[in-house]
Amino acid sequence: MPAAPRLVATVTLVAVAGAAGVVGASWVAQTLRDPTCEFRAAGQEETMTPEQSANASTMALIAVQRGLAPRAATIAIATSIQESKLRNIAYGDADSLGLFQQRPSQGWGSEDEVLNAVYATNAFYDALLEIEGWEEGVITQVAQSVQRSAYPDAYADHEWQGRVMASVLTGQTTGGLGCSLDESSRSGDATALAAELQAFDVAANANGGSVTVEAGSDSAAWAVAGWAVSHAQAREISSVQLQGQAWHRDEDPMTWLPSDSAPTGSTTVIVAVNP
């Protein structure tokens, strides 16, 4: 993966012991729902599970770190919705596997590799960049050129979903992602979280109960923020702060709220840690 660009915005992830208390009537109402994430951009709204959202955010963060246009993330997300419903599944037609239903027998990599979301996404982008005119081409046709699917027209069904989600997750639309999640049930691990982000060529450092990530631009900072919010349930993340705004898992989690404590150009994620 190419080196990340010079970073200009700061992302801070802070870990604390224990789950935050339930705050606000809106949060009480949200607890009655299944865990869900909502993406809002261009007057459109898309609803996904945390698993689907986390996989989409991985695609978007990799696109940003590789310096690719948001359109690349749109194509990847729309393709994966069609191929696997944005789930990293260990089955498929013939030997197809993973987010993009890539086939080891067709040179996409080993079974373990195509089931690794980071590897599979980079493999998809590598193939995408070989398609002449992918930046301006019809998304359905570009996706088909990469995938060579038996259902080439099906990608068009998910183009707008891909556009909305990519706009939010690549920072073109800010504050457009909210996730209503289950209450925290276990401790988180700030050190492991930092290491996971480092796998994206993100400069993430754990310091006691906190992780600070330096993002390469406003869009990169929001891509990290989207990754953090969408991974909050799996990684026990409690809040994200960026550019004067904050997402709180236990307080109006479908909305970003003003935050005086959020430094300009920064993201703060609070994670429960082992006692």
Side-chain angles (χ1 to χ4, degrees):
M1 186 186 304
R6 177 63 184 168
L7 305 176
V8 298
T10 302
V11 181
T12 306
L13 293 83
V14 181
V16 296
V22 173
V23 179
S26 61
W27 167 242
V28 173
Q30 293 290 348
T31 61
L32 301 177
R33 304 173 54 180
D34 290 333
T36 188
C37 295
E38 292 180 356
F39 298 81
R40 298 173 294 274
Q44 303 285 326
E45 182 177 294
E46 298 296 338
T47 301
M48 295 284 169
T49 67
E51 176 192 8
Q52 292 170 311
S53 303
N55 288 326
S57 72
T58 292
M59 297 173 197
L61 182 54
I62 290 173
V64 170
Q65 289 301 98
R66 290 185 60 153
L68 301 177
R71 183 179 179 83
T74 295
I75 298 169
I77 292 169
T79 299
S80 184
I81 292 174
Q82 170 59 29
E83 296 290 353
S84 68
K85 294 183 171 59
L86 277 171
R87 295 173 298 139
N88 198 12
I89 53 179
Y91 58 87
D93 181 60
D95 61 336
S96 300
L97 298 168
L99 290 167
F100 301 99
Q101 290 293 278
Q102 294 160 332
R103 298 183 61 183
S105 65
Q106 300 299 314
W108 284 101
S110 69
E111 290 186 4
D112 288 342
E113 286 173 334
V114 299
L115 285 169
N116 180 292
V118 174
Y119 176 93
T121 299
N122 275 298
F124 180 88
Y125 288 141
D126 289 344
L128 177 67
L129 294 177
E130 295 296 320
I131 306 303
E132 184 176 357
W134 71 266
E135 300 95 328
E136 296 86 20
V138 177
I139 285 179
T140 300
Q141 295 174 357
V142 173
Q144 171 61 6
S145 295
V146 175
Q147 295 292 107
R148 302 188 184 281
S149 170
Y151 305 97
D153 297 328
Y155 300 114
D157 296 340
H158 309 293
E159 180 173 343
W160 262 105
Q161 289 174 290
R163 288 183 184 275
V164 169
M165 296 173 72
S167 180
V168 172
L169 292 171
T170 63
Q172 305 305 298
T173 299
T174 61
L177 171 61
C179 291
S180 175
L181 308 173
D182 292 333
E183 289 188 60
S184 299
S185 60
R186 58 187 175 82
S187 297
D189 187 335
T191 299
L193 181 62
E196 188 169 6
L197 284 163
Q198 289 165 3
F200 296 96
D201 286 342
V202 171
N205 296 288
N207 181 15
S210 69
V211 177
T212 299
V213 176
E214 300 290 342
S217 62
D218 287 351
S219 61
W222 279 102
V224 171
W227 186 95
V229 171
S230 64
H231 282 78
Q233 181 153 291
R235 303 295 180 269
E236 296 302 333
I237 294 170
S238 303
S239 72
V240 183
Q241 296 186 38
L242 170 66
Q243 299 176 355
Q245 301 182 64
W247 172 83
H248 297 282
R249 176 173 178 160
D250 293 335
E251 181 183 354
D252 292 331
M254 306 309 278
T255 305
W256 285 73
L257 303 172
S259 173
D260 293 335
S261 64
T264 300
S266 73
T267 297
T268 302
V269 178
I270 299 175
V271 183
V273 296
N274 293 322

